[in-house]
């Protein structure tokens, strides 16, 4: 049993359905401070629905979601927005605003949140975040001028600019070539070490799971079907777990 003070995220009995389609069915998860959990699942298994529930973009039919010890399902909009300032969310497509420069994309979350910053503080945070991902030189570029890997890095910089305690990564390497994928994974690890963040990483990429996960959860039939380290699950004789490791090195 984890020390409650170190529990960043706790999900208990989470269930959500869209009509007759049950996506999550009594799903459970516990994330402790400084830990990376990778949630593995096939396409359409409910991985993205899970993280949308965690940030309050979707409301489940049943269950509880405790973020930093607070049940977010009981919060009003103002209180939820304040908790969101401590959560970083990297969307699968990076979700940059095409009409804004890189600088403006990074300034945007600071304008929307509850923290009052001077222009010089905003400038410092933007430049620090871009320097962290090796793209300070791209500060005045438009998203259309960026490669897929650069867009992903900018997305990570924007995610980290508010110094979140919890980061949710939705398929962080989707659409990237193997070399760029490894660079993004290494960047995720470097930034975790630097800022001591805790992360939930949604992925079907076994190389991401192997390199980033302290613990892996297999999402199957809407449930936490199995959990353990990469090595523990790879040794499993369960064919439902084996299918994820079949082509893993």
């Amino acid at each position: 049993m984890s020390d409650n003070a170190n529990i960043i995220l706790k999900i208990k009995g989470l269930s959500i359905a869209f009509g007759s389609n049950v996506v999550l069915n009594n799903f459970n998860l516990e994330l402790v401070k400084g830990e990376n959990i990778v949630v593995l699942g096939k396409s359409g298994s409910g991985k993205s629905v899970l993280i949308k529930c965690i940030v309050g973009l979707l409301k489940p039919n049943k269950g509880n979601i405790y973020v930093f010890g607070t049940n977010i399902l009981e919060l009003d909009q103002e209180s939820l927005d304040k908790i969101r300032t401590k959560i970083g969310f990297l969307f699968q497509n990076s979700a940059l605003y095409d009409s804004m420069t890189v600088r403006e994309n990074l300034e945007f979350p600071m304008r929307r949140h509850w923290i009052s910053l001077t222009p010089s503080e905003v400038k410092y945070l933007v430049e620090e975040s871009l320097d962290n991902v090796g793209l300070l030189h791209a500060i005045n570029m438009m998203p259309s001028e960026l490669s897929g890997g650069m867009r992903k890095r900018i997305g990570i910089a924007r995610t980290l600019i508010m110094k979140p305690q919890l980061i949710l990564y939705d398929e962080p390497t989707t659409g990237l070539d193997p070399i760029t994928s490894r660079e993004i994974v290494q960047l995720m690890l470097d930034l975790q070490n630097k800022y001591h963040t805790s992360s939930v990483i949604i992925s079907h990429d076994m190389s991401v799971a192997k390199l980033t996960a302290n613990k892996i959860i297999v999402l199957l039939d809407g449930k936490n079907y199995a959990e353990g380290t990469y090595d523990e699950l790879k040794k499993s004789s369960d064919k439902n777990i084996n299918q994820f490791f079949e082509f893993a090195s």
Side-chain angles (χ1 to χ4, degrees):
M1 184 65 68
S2 302
D3 178 359
N4 285 338
N6 286 323
I7 297 174
I8 298 296
L9 171 66
K10 188 167 188 172
I11 298 173
K12 297 177 67 176
L14 195 67
S15 298
I16 185 169
F18 301 101
S20 61
N21 179 27
V22 178
V23 180
L24 296 174
N25 183 14
N26 198 33
F27 182 86
N28 299 291
L29 177 153
E30 186 174 289
L31 174 73
V32 299
K33 191 172 184 178
E35 182 180 49
N36 281 344
I37 287 181
V38 171
V39 179
L40 277 181
K42 295 179 180 177
S43 180
S45 63
K47 303 187 302 295
S48 292
V49 169
L50 172 64
I51 55 174
K52 286 175 182 174
C53 287
I54 295 171
V55 290
L57 295 175
L58 288 173
K59 187 138 188 173
N61 303 113
K62 286 194 311 184
N64 295 291
I65 303 171
Y66 298 92
V67 180
F68 316 122
T70 299
N71 189 351
I72 66 162
L73 302 179
E74 297 175 349
L75 298 178
D76 59 29
Q77 191 60 50
E78 182 176 328
S79 300
L80 178 60
D81 286 342
K82 286 183 177 178
I83 276 208
R84 282 173 173 163
T85 65
K86 302 176 185 177
I87 303 173
F89 190 177
L90 181 70
F91 294 91
Q92 191 172 141
N93 62 359
S94 301
L96 301 180
Y97 296 101
D98 290 335
S99 61
M100 296 181 182
T101 64
V102 167
R103 182 197 300 274
E104 291 166 339
N105 264 282
L106 267 66
E107 289 173 347
F108 186 74
M110 290 185 283
R111 293 199 200 105
R112 293 187 66 239
H113 285 309
W114 299 83
I115 300 170
S116 179
L117 297 169
T118 66
S120 62
E121 288 170 331
V122 170
K123 181 176 184 290
Y124 173 80
L125 287 171
V126 168
E127 292 178 356
E128 178 191 41
S129 295
L130 287 174
D131 193 44
N132 279 334
V133 300
L135 286 177
L136 185 55
H137 66 279
I139 192 166
N140 293 314
M141 294 173 70
M142 300 297 291
S144 60
E145 301 176 89
L146 306 174
S147 68
M150 290 172 75
R151 289 175 71 95
K152 194 71 76 171
R153 285 174 176 267
I154 298 299
I156 292 174
R158 189 176 64 181
T159 299
L160 286 165
I161 202 162
M162 299 297 293
K163 303 292 192 291
Q165 298 172 40
L166 169 63
I167 302 180
L168 309 173
Y169 292 98
D170 188 4
E171 299 283 6
T173 59
T174 290
L176 302 179
D177 62 81
I179 292 173
T180 305
S181 293
R182 284 196 296 273
E183 290 174 350
I184 293 298
V185 167
Q186 188 58 54
L187 177 60
M188 290 164 62
L189 293 171
D190 290 345
L191 293 173
Q192 180 196 21
N193 290 333
K194 182 172 182 177
Y195 292 110
H196 309 294
T197 53
S198 310
S199 303
V200 176
I201 302 163
I202 302 298
S203 187
H204 63 271
D205 185 334
M206 293 309 299
S207 63
V208 171
K210 183 177 183 179
L211 293 170
T212 65
N214 301 112
K215 181 168 66 181
I216 295 172
I217 289 176
V218 176
L219 175 57
L220 184 67
D221 297 329
K223 298 180 183 295
N224 179 335
Y225 182 80
E227 65 177 75
T229 66
Y230 180 92
D231 290 336
E232 286 168 349
L233 293 179
K234 189 174 183 181
K235 293 172 185 173
S236 172
S237 57
D238 187 325
K239 67 181 190 310
N240 289 321
I241 298 172
N242 292 158
Q243 64 184 328
F244 291 101
F245 292 84
E246 189 175 355
F247 301 106
S249 57

